[in-house]
Amino acid sequence: MGTLDGKVALVTGAGGGIGRATAIVLGQCGAKVLVSDISTRRGEETAAMVRAAGAEAEFFKADVSRGSDVEALVAAAVRKWGRLDCAHNNAGISGTIASIVEDTEENWDRTLAVDLKGVWLCMKYEILQMLKQGGGSIVNTASTAGLLGAVRMGAYTAAKHGVVGITRTAALEFARSNIRVNAVCPGVVGTPVILQWFEANERLEKSMLAQEPVGRVGKPEEIGNAVAWLFSDAASFVTGAAIPVDGGLTAQ
Ligand code: NAD
């Protein structure tokens, strides 16, 4: 018996890293998973991995910064499986690494469009469906940069603080509607992108590892496990929380 048996779940940004790992964990917990990403190739790969883990899964392409794509994504889950119980709004980009004075309007606009507007758009259409069916659970991926300042990542930091804020607002607005809304705030996670940065830059690896009290980076599935717990009935009294999953980074 899985903790999410019979539930229908959706994961955005599931073509890699944290989203892919979460999609697999949710499938292992018994959920049917609609895998979504802007990349068809990577998203289809993830859907195949979830099926290989023994769960039902399909891929649906969506750019979370476009309202029409997100509306179609939620409709696809309902068309396929009749409802949407769990939604992990995880798609995100780090944007250009630049100080406040070096940053560009283009980077600011794109980072905020994907990382913050994308989360709002996803919640809008997911909650409209969850209201129709009488409840549901949402987990947004913020970051420790949603709780603390991150140097040379101003747009990302603003977007992730925004994700924490809108998570709290949504939790309060729908607390009486049986819809729980939470955020996970990952620390440094060893996704393929981060591991490539480390390979290219040993100093960056050392400085990022030095930030982590546990002395290692997180595994993508360690974020997925927290998301699966938040979706489960074991977390039935948890809403409006922004939970660090960060090896102690924000405890310092
Ligand atoms: P990743 O780059 O491995 O995965 C992100 C996925 O999102 C990719 O598959 C990408 O194709 C997809 N994507 C990008 N733009 C999109 C769009 N407009 N619409 C739909 N999909 C889109 O990154 P990751 O490290 O797994 O990051 C996942 C989330 O976790 C992000 O929100 C990121 O900010 C957050 N996060 C990551 C870390 C970390 O250390 N890796 C730490 C804190 C927070």
Side-chain angles (χ1 to χ4, degrees):
M1 272 275 288
T3 52
L4 301 176
D5 273 347
K7 306 251 189 210
V8 176
L10 137 60
V11 183
T12 69
I18 292 169
R20 171 173 285 177
T22 303
I24 295 168
V25 170
L26 297 180
Q28 288 166 340
C29 291
K32 301 174 177 93
V33 188
L34 189 59
V35 169
S36 185
D37 203 277
I38 201 167
S39 159
T40 301
R41 182 182 57 78
R42 291 202 305 268
E44 292 280 17
E45 268 173 23
T46 302
M49 291 164 101
V50 178
R51 286 192 291 270
E56 273 186 62
E58 281 228 349
F59 170 72
F60 191 92
K61 180 181 168 124
D63 176 345
V64 295
S65 68
R66 296 166 60 100
S68 53
D69 279 25
V70 175
E71 187 175 13
L73 170 63
V74 173
V78 177
R79 199 168 50 244
K80 174 81 184 152
W81 290 303
R83 52 190 295 113
L84 177 65
D85 300 295
C86 311
H88 183 203
N89 301 322
N90 166 78
I93 54 174
S94 49
T96 310
I97 307 298
S99 79
I100 298 283
V101 293
E102 293 160 351
D103 214 342
T104 61
E105 283 190 48
E106 193 190 4
N107 179 56
W108 179 270
D109 289 345
R110 186 65 192 152
T111 306
L112 271 286
V114 176
D115 291 4
L116 181 53
K117 182 184 160 196
V119 169
W120 162 64
L121 282 171
C122 286
M123 289 205 293
K124 172 177 170 142
Y125 291 105
E126 291 156 1
I127 289 172
L128 284 169
Q129 173 58 31
M130 288 172 179
L131 287 171
K132 276 190 213 160
Q133 65 190 34
S137 177
I138 292 174
V139 179
N140 298 319
T141 301
S143 167
T144 49
L147 304 169
L148 304 170
V151 173
R152 295 172 64 77
M153 295 188 82
Y156 181 79
T157 302
K160 294 299 188 180
H161 274 69
V163 170
V164 170
I166 196 176
T167 296
R168 292 179 175 140
T169 292
L172 295 174
E173 286 184 3
F174 300 99
R176 300 285 176 106
S177 306
N178 194 32
I179 298 172
R180 294 186 298 107
V181 187
N182 293 288
V184 285
C185 300
V188 185
V189 179
T191 55
V193 177
I194 298 269
L195 295 177
Q196 268 170 23
W197 287 6
F198 286 176
E199 260 172 40
N201 187 338
E202 207 178 310
R203 266 184 47 213
L204 178 73
E205 178 176 7
K206 277 200 179 130
S207 81
M208 286 182 94
L209 273 180
Q211 292 173 35
E212 283 290 358
V214 295
R216 66 169 177 89
V217 297
K219 299 178 196 148
E221 59 271 26
E222 291 179 304
I223 312 304
N225 289 336
V227 175
W229 175 75
L230 283 165
F231 283 149
S232 76
D233 290 343
S236 51
F237 200 50
V238 183
T239 195
I243 299 184
V245 188
D246 68 351
L249 193 150
T250 51
Q252 299 170 100

